[in-house]
Amino acid sequence: METVNEQKIAMPRIGEPAPEFKAITTQGDINFPADYKGSWVILFSHPADFTPVCTSEFMTFASMEGKFNEANCKLVGLSVDGLYSHIAWLRTIKEKIEYKGMKDIEVKFPLIEDITMEVAKKYGMVMPGESNTKAVRAVFFIDPKGIIRALIYYPLSLGRNFEELYRALIAMQAADAFSIATPADWQPGDEVIVPTAGSCGVAKDRMENTTGMKCYDWFFCTKKIDKETILKTILKKVDLG
């Protein structure tokens, strides 16, 4: 007989279409990911309403929503609480909570009601080893075509680094726009990685002609793309209308 900790968890994978669902949210009904076609989406879960770590996270995300929107990215939250709990919690955040200079914070992005855990289970957000009744802190990056591009899971006790989530979003968009890869700790304006040569001839050409590139060996070449070019290319695609 299968024990709780041996239960199989559905885990969407990078490169797969985001699992579809319809849900009630604090901003009305949504059909996911169809309603977000053409935009990047960060779908993230939190363990429960009226908990301190989650409160700090929602205030941070809400304060950065404009920044994410400028990068053509929408935010969608989820927990296994009900709609009225969500509404009461978000109202409490706006009216009573102050954290790191943030106060009077209004959460305008949708927060999904998932009492049945249907969505949480589709996305592997419930980890029996952590909790059977709460979603872990999962983050899914979904591109404009509805494809999962990255996912990050955190335990219940660990608050997320939202600047890192933004950095990851910009890095993936830059990789798509410029056909490059980004090295460790990359920030816009840093050198980027030129994809590894696919043949001996290409490798030889790179080592002999490194115009605009630094080639340390056939497999490790970098080039400079300035911050303004990166951000202009990404941010100009935004349609806030």
Side-chain angles (χ1 to χ4, degrees):
M1 182 177 178
E2 196 176 57
T3 66
V4 170
N5 287 333
E6 292 173 340
Q7 291 176 6
K8 293 182 179 179
I9 301 170
M11 187 75 71
R13 293 175 292 189
I14 292 174
E16 293 182 344
E20 298 177 354
F21 64 85
K22 294 181 180 179
I24 297 170
T25 83
T26 52
Q27 299 295 323
D29 296 349
I30 63 170
N31 181 11
F32 193 90
D35 288 349
Y36 295 90
K37 185 177 181 180
S39 297
W40 283 77
V41 185
I42 292 180
L43 172 66
F44 65 101
S45 58
H46 70 279
D49 298 344
F50 293 101
T51 54
V53 176
C54 300
T55 297
S56 70
E57 291 190 319
F58 264 70
M59 293 180 74
T60 304
F61 240 158
S63 69
M64 295 176 65
E65 184 179 12
K67 187 175 180 178
F68 280 95
N69 286 347
E70 286 176 358
N72 193 27
C73 181
K74 308 298 184 183
L75 307 177
V76 181
L78 174 146
S79 85
V80 298
D81 297 290
L83 181 64
Y84 296 118
S85 173
H86 287 344
I87 292 171
W89 178 48
L90 299 185
R91 182 182 297 124
T92 299
I93 288 176
K94 178 173 171 56
E95 295 177 353
K96 296 183 178 181
I97 307 299
E98 182 175 352
Y99 173 70
K100 284 190 172 180
M102 296 180 288
K103 62 180 179 179
D104 192 32
I105 297 296
E106 182 176 1
V107 176
K108 298 179 181 179
F109 55 81
L111 175 52
I112 294 168
E113 172 186 85
D114 193 29
I115 298 174
T116 63
M117 296 185 173
E118 177 185 354
V119 180
K121 289 177 179 177
K122 276 189 175 183
Y123 279 81
M125 295 171 173
V126 178
M127 303 262 175
E130 186 78 350
S131 173
N132 288 308
T133 59
K134 296 178 180 178
V136 296
R137 302 181 195 281
V139 183
F140 289 84
F141 295 82
I142 300 164
D143 73 15
K145 296 180 180 179
I147 302 300
I148 294 173
R149 297 292 298 276
L151 50 140
I152 310 173
Y153 285 78
Y154 299 76
L156 302 181
S157 62
L158 179 60
R160 288 164 276 213
N161 183 319
F162 290 86
E163 288 295 340
E164 168 60 13
L165 299 184
Y166 181 77
R167 187 193 76 90
L169 172 71
I170 297 300
M172 284 184 282
Q173 293 185 355
D176 288 353
F178 296 96
S179 299
I180 48 85
T182 52
D185 298 325
W186 179 84
Q187 295 286 348
D190 293 346
E191 289 186 331
V192 299
I193 300 290
V194 178
T196 302
S199 69
C200 293
V202 173
K204 181 180 179 182
D205 288 344
R206 283 188 180 175
M207 295 306 296
E208 293 177 351
N209 180 14
T210 58
T211 303
M213 291 191 296
K214 295 179 183 177
C215 283
Y216 302 92
D217 207 328
W218 66 270
F219 68 95
F220 196 94
C221 294
T222 65
K223 67 179 180 180
K224 182 76 172 178
I225 303 179
D226 63 81
K227 181 177 180 178
E228 292 72 22
T229 300
I230 292 280
L231 296 182
K232 182 179 179 181
T233 301
I234 292 170
L235 301 185
K236 74 179 181 180
K237 297 178 182 178
V238 178
D239 180 7
L240 298 178

